[in-house]
Amino acid sequence: MAAKKRSLIGGVDTHRDTHHAAVIDTTGGLLADAEFPATTAGYADLLAWMRSFGQVTAVGVEGTGSYGAGLARYLTSKKIAVVEVDRPDRRARRAQGKSDPIDAIAAARATLAGTAMGTPKTRTGPVEAIRALRVARRGAVKARTAALNQMRGLVAAAPEPLRAHLTRISAAVLVSRCAVLAYDPTKLHDPQHATAAALVGLARRVTALTEEITTLDRQVTPIVRKAAPRTTALFGVGPDVAAQLLTTAGDNPDRLHSEAALAHLCGAAPIPASSGRVRRHRLHRGGDRGANHALHTIALCRMRYDQRTRAYLHRRITEGLSKQEIIRCLKRYIVRDVYTALRADFAALAP
């Protein structure tokens, strides 16, 4: 009976095929550790095993955005508090070693100590759908950029007649010209014909990837506009920027417990950087860099087209701030607008 009433904390080190779990008491003492398969049945066995030692207060899970996503969803559905745990500190890892039991125990103790306090994304709503489509789009964009760079590289070293025809032109013109290059398949031992064949293949790849990106944009845009109408209505926020901000925030609005938390999450929280008579702040170098880039895009758009922002820009310049420092200030102000809009959008999405 005493074991059933005992409060305990769980920790899980997640992997693709297996999860290693550990349970500790409220003083940090290890009770047990075990390994379970990363399946729905394995999740149920893991939770039942933890509950056999007492009442599960919380479970710290590593990798809630990857291998631990399924387990985090399962535990949340069973009303278990799930805490997102970062990988162990490298200094501590060097001192203590590395193994699945060690990482699971460290996750549990980080949860108990309060050093791990992150709320994992639920990944059960439209934001997760947006994220999935954006993953595919980002991969297509990277592949297209790589193909274009390969084309430029081939053109730079191509035989002279080919190089002269394909230099000093835009990417779109380069692709269109390369797509119709003529070459003799029986003469691929000749560098000119081989280069032309390679450029034709790369041009077709770029064209296919461009079509894929366009299709993904058509798919994700209506989801973004429906999920976040207030956010997309903000000045300088288009569907792509809004999609990034939604992905950073996640489906569960309780992650955004304050405007400052969102600023920290986006890497836009001011950090003191003063010395001597100089009093200044700089931006937090961590956070989600994709979200920070989205804020940067909004800031640049407003600096160019929004009259209030332009007036603010001129005023701050007269006060002696550099353009970079002004953009940092603008990002923090933009977070305020974004936070209000996101909270309203999430409230409208709530059942």
Side-chain angles (χ1 to χ4, degrees), residues 39-342:
T39 62
T40 303
Y43 303 155
D45 291 342
L46 184 152
L47 180 57
W49 173 79
M50 284 187 174
R51 282 175 167 168
S52 69
F53 294 94
Q55 182 180 356
V56 182
T57 304
V59 178
V61 180
E62 279 192 27
T64 59
S66 55
Y67 293 141
L71 176 62
R73 279 194 294 264
Y74 178 83
L75 293 175
T76 301
S77 70
K78 298 301 181 181
K79 309 302 181 184
I80 301 295
V82 179
V83 178
E84 186 173 10
V85 179
D86 293 331
R87 68 179 183 179
D89 180 72
R90 291 182 178 179
R91 182 181 301 176
R93 175 167 284 180
R94 283 195 297 268
Q96 299 175 5
K98 166 74 174 76
S99 71
D100 294 347
I102 289 174
D103 288 349
I105 296 167
R109 287 176 175 162
T111 303
L112 175 63
T115 55
M117 298 183 295
T119 302
K121 298 176 182 178
T122 57
R123 301 182 183 277
T124 56
V127 176
E128 177 62 13
I130 292 169
R131 187 195 70 84
L133 293 172
R134 280 178 54 80
V135 167
R137 185 187 187 278
R138 185 165 57 249
V141 170
K142 287 183 178 179
R144 183 177 65 176
T145 301
L148 285 169
N149 289 339
Q150 290 171 341
M151 292 177 71
R152 295 289 191 189
L154 284 173
V155 168
E160 188 53 37
L162 200 58
R163 191 182 71 84
H165 179 59
L166 299 173
T167 54
R168 296 185 178 87
I169 54 178
S170 67
V173 175
L174 175 64
V175 171
S176 62
R177 288 187 182 181
C178 288
V180 295
L181 286 176
Y183 65 92
D184 189 342
T186 64
K187 296 182 179 180
L188 293 181
H189 57 277
D190 185 322
Q192 180 163 337
H193 289 274
T195 302
L199 288 171
V200 169
L202 287 169
R204 290 173 179 171
R205 185 186 305 173
V206 170
T207 301
L209 288 168
T210 300
E211 293 174 356
E212 180 182 346
I213 293 166
T214 302
T215 299
L216 288 166
D217 284 339
R218 285 199 299 264
Q219 292 171 340
V220 76
T221 297
I223 304 175
V224 173
R225 293 193 184 281
K226 183 177 180 180
R230 295 165 184 82
T231 304
T232 53
L234 294 175
F235 196 103
V237 179
D240 189 56
V241 168
Q244 175 60 63
L245 294 171
L246 284 169
T247 302
T248 299
D251 279 298
N252 37 330
D254 54 323
R255 284 168 50 85
L256 307 177
H257 56 81
S258 70
E259 175 192 314
L262 178 60
H264 190 81
L265 183 63
C266 296
I271 303 296
S274 303
S275 179
R277 296 182 179 180
V278 178
R279 295 289 182 267
R280 61 185 295 272
H281 289 77
R282 65 168 178 82
L283 285 186
H284 175 46
R285 299 298 182 186
D288 188 320
R289 304 318 297 171
N292 192 275
H293 182 266
L295 295 178
H296 189 82
T297 301
I298 299 170
L300 292 181
C301 179
R302 292 186 177 186
M303 287 169 64
R304 186 168 185 177
Y305 299 108
D306 182 49
Q307 292 303 317
R308 288 194 311 162
T309 305
R310 290 176 64 85
Y312 174 82
L313 173 65
H314 293 313
R315 177 170 65 84
R316 298 295 272 175
I317 288 175
T318 60
E319 293 174 359
L321 270 68
S322 67
K323 184 177 180 180
Q324 186 179 28
E325 290 173 327
I326 295 171
I327 291 176
R328 289 170 178 170
C329 295
L330 282 173
K331 285 182 181 179
R332 185 60 183 85
Y333 283 122
I334 291 168
V335 167
R336 187 173 301 165
D337 291 343
V338 170
Y339 176 76
T340 303
L342 283 175

